[in-house]
Amino acid sequence: MTVKSTSAEIRQMFLNYFAEHGHTIVPSASLVPQDDPTLLFTNAGMNQFKDVFLGTGTRPYSRAADTQKCMRVSGKHNDLEEVGFDGTHHTFFEMLGNWSFGDYYKKEAIGWAWDLLTKVYGLDKNRLWATIFEDDQGVLPRDDEAANYWRTETDIAPDHILPFGRKDNFWMMADTGPCGPNSEINYDRGPEACDKQGVPGHVCRVNGDCARFTEIWNLVFIQYNSLGGGQLEPLPARHVDTGMGFERIVAILQGVTANYDTDLFRPIIAKTQELAGQSDAEREAHLTAYRVIADHIRALTFLIGDGVKPANKGQGYVPRMVLRRAVRFGRKLGFTAPFMADLVDTVVAIMGATFPELPARVEFIKATINSEEKRFLRTLDQGLARLEEIISYLQEQGKTAIPGAEAFFLHDTLGLPPEVTRDVAKEYGFIVDEKGYALIRESRGGLRDETEETEVDPHNLLYPVLYDWVQCQECHPLRHDPYSGFSVKTHVTGMIRGDGLDTKAFTDDAVELVLQETCFYVASGGQVADTGRIVGPDWEVQVEDVRRPIEGLIVHIGKVVRGMPAVGDPATVEVDAERRRSIMRNHTATHLLHHALREVLGSHVAQAGSLVTPERLRFDFNHDEPLTPAQRSEIERLVTGAILANYPVQTRQEAYRDALSQGVIAIFEEKYGDVVRVVRVGDETTTFSQELCGGTHVSRSGDIGAFTILNETGVGAGARRIEATTGYGALQALQTARARQEQAAAQLAAPVEELPERIGRLQAELRAAHKEIEQLTRKLARADFQSLLDNVVYVADIPVLAAQVDAPDADTLREMTDWFRDKMQGGVIVLGAVIDDKPLLIAATTKALTQRGIHAGNLVRDLARLVGGGGGGRPDMAQAGGRDASKLPEALGKVTEMIKGMVKG
Ligand code: ATP
Ligand code: MG
């Protein structure tokens, strides 16, 4: 190529190519995902088609292509750390893509990609490399299909087709959602592009770590839906989803190494340089700052253009964080007044034709950035206030130097420029410890921000700042070893007091302390965190919880119970050892239990959840039926056997793959790195249990002492839960059970051994007694009934009895009518009773009397109406219920009258 194409032309060539191949060109979706809680921002071209892949939505076309605005600052795809430090990763970038929705598949996707790159863009085929998927976990099939099409559909050198595992060649938009194996196209910039030359052991390679090879295009063959936790479900149809980094292909076609040297970024960098008033040499000296600013102003322009306003949490946190980061880098270029908004016109000039939302909202974007930047500059005032506080505190102590760490904290966290700190210090007759300050500044690591959570708790935003603060004070990383002991001597390196960072705390304050070294265990893998104390020269903090809010930072959460801890103080960390020993017993026992379950119930048993506390262990697993008592006993026996064998418990580090091939149990939900920790219980000859685990364990199985199952229950379909305990817990369970037995024995005045027999005897006695009571009750009722007969009246020659009686149920009432008929050899009886607060009426007579017009059914029906109910029945026997029991006497009072009306002859 003699005349290099512009970025606008390169974009258009892509779209034209796919339009010619039957693709509908669609607009970019917004950076703000529509109705997708799994994403903070659009991170790939396929996001807007997620519903089509999942089969829940359709489009009027089956082939599409576009350029999509993407942000990669959070979640599964977070490139923030790379931005400005390499030449290929941005926060905001454009992704060119073409899609097939159940239409063409690997053959065409590969053929066209190759055709476009080599024919249309004219890339040298010897510089192109393709990768295909080969599962490093040995679960999914190798993508031979794609490999074959690379051979038949392109003229790529056969040795330029390389297999890679899940990390590189299995694409997922997030932990859940459409995914599948992919095939990536990489570009070789030649050995001179390597930025790791001379680094011992460095080899330039595809998917390596130097700038020589760049991934440009990813062809994803969508065929699964990830349900999370490593579970994949096949999709109803197969699709193609490709993504090419636009800035990267432009850089290659324009013959430059870094994306920042393309016409997409150069004008922004030039404008920044002009605003900063720096020479070219100065610009080269501050390359990273220029690049970060250029990247971040694009991100800001597009984010705000899509309606994301700076805020303290959620999506809005990203523009705020990105702006602050840019402004901080701006300080390195000498900016002290707002400048970011002045770059917006340049961004819009480059991108506005493709993204018309930018020119439409340019004034709003500038105003938003400007007010946000001003707001941030105001935090400088807070920095000054803080500085004066520090000075007066130091004055009380008779000191005259501001510690370097403090000056750096003011600068880095509160944004107070060091020149200002020096000036103010001078006014108070102070100096800044420049040596300490320089040391810290040099050791400062990259900025970290937590944007993983869509809802960011403002308190959580303190952690990245705390992390930076600790990092720059300490030239060496935090040491964390929960395995070797319960106590360690170290010093305090950082502190949160209440809701802010601080350097000193007072008795009764709620604090979070960071230490240079700690042996506290942080909750993970089901094992709860340690508790304990941190003791300084004249202070003590009671630790209630320990957390790792971000990688590399461990905070000890608790309360100052004595004295005034301060950052820099020496301190002794003391884990509550008794509690931890109980936890270790329960954790090792969990492994033994897991193994015993598989032994007794079958190898289908897999852990579905676990909790290890000092008191007990809880283990959830998949199994369809409750355990039988025999199975429970057998499990306890196996575990006890392992305890008695007193096996050594050993841990080793191993490659994940090797561990799996040796049959080590891995828990499905857990994510493992390449190197894993294997916990083995066994001796030279026997391996009782082997699991991947980061938890703390006893050193020999005998240390567990005793093991007992407390209960076994169902938790949802096909899942069971066992709670068990060890050591003193087991003893306590035993003692509690014994105490209960003894109490029962004392109540029965019988020896414990005789309890079952005695209980059996008691139950028999009770049954007999119940029977007797029943008989007696009847006898009594009959006797009572006898006296009722005094109330019999005669209607003509017919004896009639209408009475309210006490009866427990309808059966008894019916029985009473039988007694009456026996006794009176005929007649009419109507009984009422209140049963469960409701009136019940029964009427009975003899066949002979029905001939004379008496009808029990009609009688009851009419009476029931009086008590708010209904019913009826045969002429000789009927019953009915009602609602109003208070009307019963009145109803019964009408019986004689009614019968009079019925009798014939
Ligand atoms: P890398 O390994 O380089 O980070 P990736 O595997 O994360 O890339 P994909 O998720 O496959 O990339 O995205 C598709 C294409 O988008 C990549 O081939 C690359 O060209 C481009 N791309 C990915 N991340 C970025 C980024 N942060 N900035 C610019 N382009 C990117
Ligand atoms: Mg990436």
Side-chain angles (χ1 to χ4, degrees), residues 586-802:
N586 282 338
H587 202 154
T588 310
T590 302
H591 288 207
L592 303 183
L593 170 65
H594 193 175
H595 175 83
L597 279 168
R598 289 163 72 100
E599 198 84 341
V600 174
L601 302 179
S603 56
H604 65 276
V605 169
Q607 174 172 340
S610 120
L611 179 69
V612 180
T613 71
E615 293 80 27
R616 59 179 62 190
L617 61 97
R618 197 177 77 195
F619 190 81
D620 294 350
F621 57 101
N622 58 316
H623 189 62
D624 283 330
E625 298 154 14
L627 269 56
T628 63
Q631 286 171 329
R632 274 210 315 259
S633 304
E634 179 59 10
I635 288 163
E636 284 178 327
R637 210 189 56 79
L638 278 175
V639 173
T640 303
I643 294 171
L644 296 180
N646 201 20
Y647 293 125
V649 180
Q650 285 154 330
T651 59
R652 63 173 193 275
Q653 304 286 119
E654 197 165 75
Y656 180 56
R657 260 214 258 193
D658 296 346
L660 281 196
S661 65
Q662 290 175 36
V664 172
I665 300 179
I667 310 304
F668 212 49
E669 281 81 41
E670 296 281 327
K671 271 199 183 145
Y672 298 104
D674 292 339
V675 176
V676 291
R677 182 170 181 263
V678 179
V679 176
R680 176 177 182 272
V681 185
D683 54 22
E684 304 78 32
T685 52
T686 316
T687 298
F688 188 83
S689 134
Q690 248 194 134
E691 272 189 49
L692 299 190
C693 178
T696 61
H697 290 271
V698 295
S699 47
R700 296 192 73 105
S701 59
D703 297 345
I704 295 171
F707 171 86
T708 183
I709 293 180
L710 297 171
N711 56 57
E712 188 263 342
T713 51
V715 277
R720 310 293 307 171
R721 165 172 293 174
I722 283 185
E723 287 189 298
T725 182
T726 64
Y728 288 115
L731 179 65
Q732 205 191 357
L734 206 76
Q735 287 172 339
T736 309
R738 190 173 60 206
R740 283 200 197 110
Q741 282 178 6
E742 282 171 352
Q743 192 189 349
Q747 282 167 336
L748 292 181
V752 168
E753 307 78 67
E754 285 177 18
L755 274 182
E757 192 227 309
R758 288 294 288 268
I759 290 171
R761 229 193 294 159
L762 270 180
Q763 282 172 328
E765 276 171 33
L766 205 60
R767 270 195 301 274
H770 272 306
K771 226 181 199 154
E772 208 175 320
I773 288 170
E774 219 169 89
Q775 283 163 0
L776 286 173
T777 320
R778 273 178 177 209
K779 258 188 205 157
L780 274 175
R782 208 174 181 131
D784 282 353
F785 189 73
Q786 209 64 33
S787 61
L788 266 186
L789 293 180
D790 296 346
N791 300 340
V792 171
V793 295
Y794 285 83
V795 174
D797 57 334
I798 305 166
V800 174
L801 175 60

Side-chain angles (χ1 to χ4, degrees), residues 793-800 849 852 896 899-900 903-905:
V793 295
Y794 285 83
V795 174
D797 57 334
I798 305 166
V800 174
L849 286 174
R852 290 178 59 188
T896 334
I899 290 175
K900 270 184 196 154
V903 188
K904 286 183 268 175

